[in-house]
Amino acid sequence: MKICEYCFNDEELKAIIKNNNGTSGICPNCGAETILYDTEDLQYISELFEGFLDSYQIHNAGRTLVEELCKNWSIFSPKLNDAQVLELITALCKQYFEEHEGFLNDKIVLKKRLNSDYVANNSILKDISWDEFQRQLIEVNRYHPNNINTDVLKPLFSYIESYYDVSDISLYRARKSYNKKKLDKLEMGAPPPRKSGEGRINAKGVGCLYLATDEDTCIKEIRAGIFETVCVGTYEITKPLRLVNLSKINMISPFKNPDNGDIANIDINRKFLDDFNASIRSPQASTDDPLEYTSTQYIADYIKSITDEGHHRMYDGIEFASTHSETSRNIVLFETSLEKCKCICTNVNCYYIDALNYEFSLR
Ligand SMILES: [Zn+2]
């Protein structure tokens, strides 16, 4: 049976399938005009699926195989219907289903989900919702909450790292110019420690360098007003950056770490990951209560505190999707000093905001 890269939604499988030999054509499943592969030749992908399925058992409280593959893990493209997904997974794991026929007809569940001790020990939040975690962080205990298991959270970050080498991308940072003059490159950096305002990622006074992947986004992020003058600095990376890419926090692939084999820790924490993702992506208004950022600031500070074996900070910062565009991202670096920061401002453009285009909806 033929299959293509675009039949998958899972980023790991998309990357792996491209390592195989295929032929050009139109995919009979998703309709993409691309390279087609024969499911018979995709031995490694078949093995990955078999390892994935080994984590499951038949159980009435579970879901069907297709629901688990598509709704829970988003492995296949939403363009495919249930019958197509079933046909593809059957072709990929032909032999496996000969030995596990029930998987095709009955409901299945992750074995570890049935182990209450495992669920209790591996849940990021201990018996509370994300909203309740936020409330307690704001109203009860800001710095030492005992209702979050960061030991479970930490390895999940290793699945969503992103790396940028020197000259991989340019980054941008906007600042308003109150005297309407072009700012100097040295003036484009982060405010000095104690002087920084409250942000989604930093508490008041905690320094960090907010950047964006394009000029348009960084101007919108500072909410530049009409008839204001805005300077945009272009930043070049001077040393490789290792970031936690929070835009992928709710899309962790079950095939990311096949040797570990424990996909249950992602599954049982999916609600936390979805809620956290919604929090980091929620639009930011100038009228927002800064206390609303306490939970994302807490997680960002935790990421900042993670160290490697040599007791050096593991991550240079955090990447997350911008609320202003589907494709642009914000990158926030923890180090702000000119000497240690791993990027440098190389150019400044000065803009005048001629007009703003408001779009609004009735509430
Ligand atoms: Zn396809």
Side-chain angles (χ1 to χ4, degrees), residues 161-229:
E161 293 180 2
S162 57
Y163 306 91
Y164 295 105
D165 208 342
V166 177
S167 75
D168 267 0
I169 52 167
S170 292
L171 298 169
Y172 302 90
R173 173 174 168 79
R175 286 199 67 196
K176 291 179 185 178
S177 170
Y178 293 99
N179 62 8
K180 303 191 185 302
K181 288 183 182 159
K182 183 168 160 178
L183 296 171
D184 185 78
K185 287 179 221 168
L186 290 175
E187 295 175 291
M188 291 305 299
R194 298 181 73 106
K195 297 289 182 195
S196 59
E198 201 97 26
R200 199 185 292 268
I201 294 297
N202 71 301
K204 189 173 180 180
V206 174
C208 59
L209 188 67
Y210 279 79
L211 301 153
T213 48
D214 59 83
E215 284 196 319
D216 189 61
T217 300
C218 69
I219 290 173
K220 288 175 178 167
E221 288 288 351
I222 64 164
R223 290 187 224 99
I226 190 163
F227 310 140
E228 286 185 338
T229 302

Side-chain angles (χ1 to χ4, degrees), residues 4 6-7 27 30:
C4 83
Y6 304 102
C7 287
C27 178
C30 69

